Amino acid sequence: QQQVKQSPQSLIVQKGGISIINCAYENTAFDYFPWYQQFPGKGPALLIAIRPDVSEKKEGRFTISFNKSAKQFSLHIMDSQPGDSATYFCAASWTGNQFYFGTGTSLTVIP
Amino acid sequence: GAGVSQSPSNKVTEKGKDVELRCDPISGHTALYWYRQSLGQGLEFLIYFQGNSAPDKSGLPSDRFSAERTGGSVSTLTIQRTQQEDSAVYLCASSPGTSGRGLYNEQFFGPGTRLTVL
């Protein structure tokens, strides 16, 4: 059973546009929701993360929106740039336990 | 400072052979994770070490897979009698538990080992 479901699988956005990636989870015990960015040939790197006690977290052009009742969270990339082209993974975890990752979204930002 | 390192970066082996993949975590990190990433797929959890506690092996796909972590630092993932479906990138990550950014349990990933089983 997929603990974290991610969509879309791929996304193409024009430079300056907004990229939105969505994730949904099942286990209400999850208390940590990070997003990772992965460039080809590299390991994933933490981009931004949120705890369920807040509904939104913003860092620069990156924002996580969190809906606890719907068990959904999303990543918004404002003013998307070609350098943002990468694969993005959402994940979920709870204290001291393993992480469950989504299947990834390949983002392409067209100049 | 140095990040997580993995060796080898690439490994080509023949079906039925055993392979060992190495991970050097960031010094002082108490948690260490192994993941498998198949082409175009997400990260599949394999095993998790936390300090001196018994490892969480719930993600290991078969008894051909095993891992150990010596002295709370370096870890080795061993795959015995490799099969073609074992071909993937194997990623290691370490975590300090909390980070200077105040983020909970941030994981720092290595560059991975690309395993190809012919």
Side-chain angles (χ1 to χ4, degrees):
Chain A
Q1 180 184 4
Q2 187 75 26
Q3 293 269 4
V4 179
K5 296 180 181 179
Q6 182 172 349
S7 64
Q9 184 175 3
S10 63
L11 181 62
I12 300 174
V13 174
Q14 292 278 353
K15 178 182 175 181
I18 302 173
S19 304
I20 301 174
I21 305 170
N22 301 299
C23 283
Y25 63 97
E26 293 294 326
N27 193 332
T28 55
F30 289 143
D31 63 356
Y32 177 63
F33 303 89
W35 284 90
Y36 285 82
Q37 179 187 56
Q38 185 179 31
F39 293 105
K42 304 290 186 182
L46 180 67
L47 187 63
I48 186 172
I50 197 169
R51 300 292 299 274
D53 51 348
V54 296
S55 61
E56 185 176 281
K57 182 171 183 180
K58 182 175 182 180
E59 289 190 358
R61 297 185 293 109
F62 302 91
T63 300
I64 300 179
S65 296
F66 185 82
N67 186 329
K68 189 173 181 178
S69 61
K71 294 189 288 185
Q72 295 176 346
F73 58 111
S74 60
L75 176 69
H76 297 238
I77 306 174
M78 312 300 288
D79 187 26
S80 298
Q81 299 296 312
D84 297 331
S85 296
T87 300
Y88 293 81
F89 294 95
C90 62
S93 177
W94 72 95
T95 305
N97 283 273
Q98 62 170 284
F99 283 66
Y100 296 89
F101 283 81
T103 51
T105 296
S106 177
L107 171 66
T108 302
V109 181
I110 300 172
Chain B
V4 177
S5 61
Q6 293 186 245
S7 60
S9 56
N10 283 282
K11 176 71 175 179
V12 180
T13 190
E14 295 180 347
K15 178 181 174 181
K17 299 282 189 181
D18 298 351
V19 295
E20 286 189 351
L21 311 180
R22 178 186 169 104
C23 173
D24 285 85
I26 294 173
S27 177
H29 281 194
T30 59
L32 187 147
Y33 306 77
W34 282 98
Y35 296 91
R36 178 168 68 177
Q37 185 174 29
S38 301
L39 185 63
Q41 299 298 310
L43 280 71
E44 176 189 5
F45 166 78
L46 297 177
I47 189 169
Y48 162 49
F49 296 88
Q50 172 60 59
N52 296 320
S53 301
D56 177 355
K57 303 179 182 180
S58 61
L60 295 178
S62 77
D63 58 7
R64 296 187 295 106
F65 288 72
S66 63
E68 62 177 21
R69 188 178 185 192
T70 55
S73 180
V74 172
S75 178
T76 302
L77 176 69
T78 301
I79 309 173
Q80 296 179 311
R81 305 180 302 281
T82 52
Q83 304 295 312
Q84 289 183 331
E85 59 262 29
D86 298 335
S87 297
V89 175
Y90 289 82
L91 291 162
C92 173
S94 70
S95 169
T98 57
S99 76
R101 291 167 64 182
L103 296 171
Y104 169 79
N105 211 20
E106 177 178 353
Q107 293 188 49
F108 296 82
F109 282 84
T113 293
R114 181 174 296 280
L115 175 65
T116 304
V117 182
L118 302 177

